[in-house]
Amino acid sequence: MGKSSQIYCFRASYKMSTPEFEGDRIPDWLSIETNWQGYKISTLPWVADVARALDILPIEDSSTDWIAYLESVGFKDLVPICCDDFFEDRLFF
């Protein structure tokens, strides 16, 4: 079995973005939340690896490929962020 993927985290503009899917139809390989800063997006590598193996997700596991994919589904003004910062508010619960 090959190397497993990593988690990537991004922020995207809420005003500029228009995702092509409704909130209840988010792909299983993404976790998407909103807050005052816009969209908070993280990848779920354990799902993305399976989707890639089944040729459902045609991207490599890199920040650049994830940004291109997210832009293709309507997210704009994407900024990669440190996942420690992304999950910081959850560490205290």
Side-chain angles (χ1 to χ4, degrees):
M1 185 155 182
K3 181 183 115 178
S4 63
S5 302
Q6 70 178 56
I7 297 174
Y8 293 93
C9 300
F10 305 93
R11 282 205 174 90
S13 168
Y14 188 77
K15 289 181 181 181
M16 296 173 63
S17 299
T18 54
E20 292 180 0
F21 41 80
E22 299 297 320
D24 60 342
R25 298 186 60 194
I26 295 170
D28 292 334
W29 49 82
L30 296 176
S31 173
I32 301 172
E33 302 172 16
T34 57
N35 68 9
W36 64 275
Q37 294 176 309
Y39 288 104
K40 290 176 60 175
I41 307 160
S42 65
T43 62
L44 304 175
W46 50 94
V47 180
D49 287 344
V50 173
R52 269 193 289 281
L54 296 173
D55 289 329
I56 298 169
L57 181 63
I59 67 168
E60 295 297 319
D61 188 49
S62 73
S63 181
T64 304
D65 284 348
W66 277 110
I67 288 173
Y69 170 76
L70 293 169
E71 287 175 342
S72 77
V73 297
F75 290 103
K76 302 294 180 216
D77 197 25
L78 284 153
V79 177
I81 58 171
C82 173
C83 288
D84 288 344
D85 294 340
F86 183 91
F87 294 110
E88 182 178 36
D89 60 341
R90 297 179 192 178
L91 296 176
F92 301 107
F93 294 105

